[in-house]
């Protein structure tokens, strides 16, 4: 009898629990785990990938495991161009990449990521957060379904080679590896180099095999791709204020709950700011480590390079970046 009474009591309790659960709103029940995949063509030690890893830690902790972040670095999901397109069509949710979203989806604003236009990091932030930058981001969203979470300062871009480069005249005949960006090609042709458009994932091999003689990039790129193994000289040309970003597919972001959207937005901004600070405080240390690994560092005539490039930059504003003028950009 007692056993029957106990069974009846447990049945009653379970029935009550089920009844209560049925009446609870969905958010009070166990939440299904959300997965965010972040892809990057950059190597794991690159500051963009380290920033993405920081984002992962923040998001997973702040969501109490309700959001899981998976990382795919080193080009395992394709080139930077392929990953940028994958984010646009929601084949992958996020990217830790460079300036390609603007180049692909807002090309009239690509002066933000082109040589000899932006003066320094503070200048970039004023332009990007101002009217011109807001319009650029709106175009990326409209044409590429891609939203910026945060921008990472990657450092100034410099030049690597196997012969010393001190003046524009030293560029004559050099096969320079460049990303497949027509505006960059135009500027470097003006400077006298022979651009060889090669995907980032093929950078080391191109230099190792002689398909290209030289490269240009921020010091984290030079370091994380081990270019010191195939390039002897580092010329501090400082020709571009290099940035990257954590970007997300907007329809995917919109599908998240308000709570998860808040976590993702805040973590994206904080991770990007963390990455920027790492470079701001450590850029010189990276250069010193490149010296220690065998690269000879040259301080070239940077102003001579800038003047040599000026005609190409002015043409680009007149013919392609027609939404503004170089003078307006410099006024920020």
């Amino acid at each position: 009898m007692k056993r029957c009474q106990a069974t009846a009591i447990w049945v009653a309790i379970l029935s009550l629990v089920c009844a209560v659960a049925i009446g609870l709103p969905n958010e009070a029940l166990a939440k299904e785990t959300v997965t965010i995949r972040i892809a990057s063509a950059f190597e794991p030690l690159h500051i963009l990938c380290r920033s993405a890893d920081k984002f992962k830690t923040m998001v997973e902790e702040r969501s109490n495991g309700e959001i899981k972040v998976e990382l795919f670095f080193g080009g395992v999901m394709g080139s930077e161009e392929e990953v940028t397109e994958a984010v646009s069509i929601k084949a992958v949710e996020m990217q830790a990449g460079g300036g390609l979203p603007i180049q692909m989806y807002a090309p009239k604003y690509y002066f933000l990521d082109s040589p000899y236009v932006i003066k320094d990091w503070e200048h970039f932030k004023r332009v990007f957060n101002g009217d011109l930058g807001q319009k650029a981001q709106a175009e990326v969203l409209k044409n590429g379904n891609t939203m910026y979470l945060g921008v990472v300062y990657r450092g100034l871009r410099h030049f690597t080679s196997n012969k010393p480069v001190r003046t524009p005249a030293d560029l004559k005949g050099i096969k320079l590896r460049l990303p497949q960006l027509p505006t960059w090609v135009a500027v470097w042709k003006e400077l006298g180099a022979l651009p060889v458009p090669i995907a980032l994932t093929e950078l080391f091999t191109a230099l190792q095999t002689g398909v290209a003689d030289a490269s240009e990039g921020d010091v984290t790129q030079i370091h994380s791709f081990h270019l010191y193994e195939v390039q002897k000289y580092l010329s501090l040309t400082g020709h571009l204020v290099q940035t990257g970003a954590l970007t997300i597919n907007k329809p995917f972001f919109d599908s998240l709950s308000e709570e998860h959207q808040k976590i993702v937005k805040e973590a994206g901004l904080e991770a990007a700011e963390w990455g920027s600070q790492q470079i701001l405080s450590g850029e010189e240390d990276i250069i010193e480590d490149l010296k220690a690994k065998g690269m000879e560092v040259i301080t070239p005539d940077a102003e001579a390079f800038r003047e040599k490039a000026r005609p190409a930059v002015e043409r680009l504003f007149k013919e392609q970046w027609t939404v503004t003028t170089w003078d307006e950009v410099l006024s920020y």
Side-chain angles (χ1 to χ4, degrees):
M1 176 67 74
K2 288 183 178 179
R3 174 177 290 183
C4 292
Q5 288 176 336
T7 301
I9 290 170
W10 277 111
V11 169
I13 291 172
L14 289 171
S15 298
L16 179 61
V17 169
C18 291
V20 171
I22 290 171
L24 287 174
N26 290 337
E27 56 265 28
L29 300 175
K31 294 182 179 179
E32 184 179 349
T33 301
V34 174
T35 300
I36 300 177
R37 295 165 299 168
I38 307 179
S40 180
F42 292 86
E43 295 300 310
L45 291 178
H46 193 277
I47 192 59
L48 292 176
C49 297
R50 291 167 58 204
S51 298
D53 192 46
K54 190 76 170 177
F55 172 87
K56 169 184 167 70
T57 300
M58 290 178 179
V59 166
E60 292 182 343
E61 287 180 354
R62 295 175 186 181
S63 70
N64 295 315
E66 292 172 4
I67 304 175
K68 179 182 178 182
V69 179
E70 298 177 349
L71 306 174
F72 300 89
F73 298 154
V76 296
M77 283 198 172
S79 67
E80 197 173 358
E81 293 86 351
E82 290 167 334
V83 173
T84 302
E85 184 176 356
V87 172
S88 176
I89 62 175
K90 207 165 70 170
V92 65
E93 290 76 31
M94 282 184 61
Q95 177 179 203
L100 277 181
I102 292 178
Q103 194 271 337
M104 291 173 67
Y105 305 121
K108 290 185 178 180
Y109 295 87
Y110 196 57
F111 56 83
L112 286 162
D113 191 48
S114 292
Y116 295 110
V117 177
I118 301 295
K119 293 181 287 188
D120 53 36
W121 171 230
E122 292 301 320
H123 181 216
F124 176 90
K125 288 191 291 184
R126 291 194 298 272
V127 177
F128 192 79
N129 294 325
D131 183 57
L132 286 173
Q134 293 301 312
K135 289 178 179 177
Q137 293 176 66
E139 284 290 296
V140 172
L141 184 58
K142 175 185 174 183
N143 299 323
N145 293 318
T146 299
M147 183 176 79
Y148 279 80
L149 294 177
V151 176
V152 181
Y153 173 67
R154 291 163 51 189
L156 297 175
R157 286 184 84 94
H158 300 299
F159 194 91
T160 75
S161 59
N162 282 320
K163 76 169 194 176
V165 171
R166 296 184 173 86
T167 70
D170 296 326
L171 292 174
K172 187 174 182 180
I174 283 185
K175 293 181 293 183
L176 171 62
R177 176 271 162 185
L178 287 177
Q180 300 176 50
L181 302 170
T183 56
W184 290 27
V185 169
V187 172
W188 283 102
K189 278 186 176 179
E190 189 77 37
L191 283 163
L194 300 175
V196 183
I198 296 170
L200 182 64
T201 50
E202 300 171 16
L203 169 59
F204 184 92
T205 302
L207 294 170
Q208 185 180 46
T209 59
V211 173
D213 303 319
S215 81
E216 56 76 53
D218 57 83
V219 292
T220 58
Q221 175 174 298
I222 294 165
H223 193 277
S224 66
F225 277 84
H226 303 273
L227 299 193
Y228 47 82
E229 296 179 6
V230 289
Q231 299 274 266
K232 183 176 180 180
Y233 296 97
L234 170 64
S235 296
L236 302 179
T237 50
H239 52 271
L240 192 152
V241 179
Q242 183 64 78
T243 62
L246 297 177
T247 56
I248 190 167
N249 174 270
K250 184 60 161 57
F252 169 77
F253 178 82
D254 290 341
S255 74
L256 300 175
S257 67
E258 288 187 10
E259 178 188 355
H260 286 174
Q261 286 182 2
K262 184 174 185 291
I263 290 170
V264 167
K265 284 186 74 172
E266 290 180 352
L269 183 60
E270 290 177 35
E273 290 176 347
W274 174 86
S276 297
Q277 191 55 48
Q278 298 304 300
I279 299 303
L280 288 167
S281 62
E283 198 167 3
E284 290 301 320
D285 291 338
I286 296 173
I287 292 173
E288 287 302 312
D289 193 55
L290 289 171
K291 284 183 184 179
K293 293 184 184 307
M295 295 194 86
E296 183 176 331
V297 177
I298 295 171
T299 302
D301 185 352
E303 191 55 35
F305 282 83
R306 184 175 300 276
E307 285 304 310
K308 178 74 172 174
R310 180 179 293 275
V313 176
E314 290 177 341
R315 282 196 304 272
L316 286 166
F317 271 100
K318 290 178 181 178
E319 298 172 3
Q320 297 191 38
W321 305 327
T322 54
V323 292
T324 186
T325 64
W326 200 3
D327 287 339
E328 181 184 6
V329 173
L330 292 174
S331 72
Y332 273 77

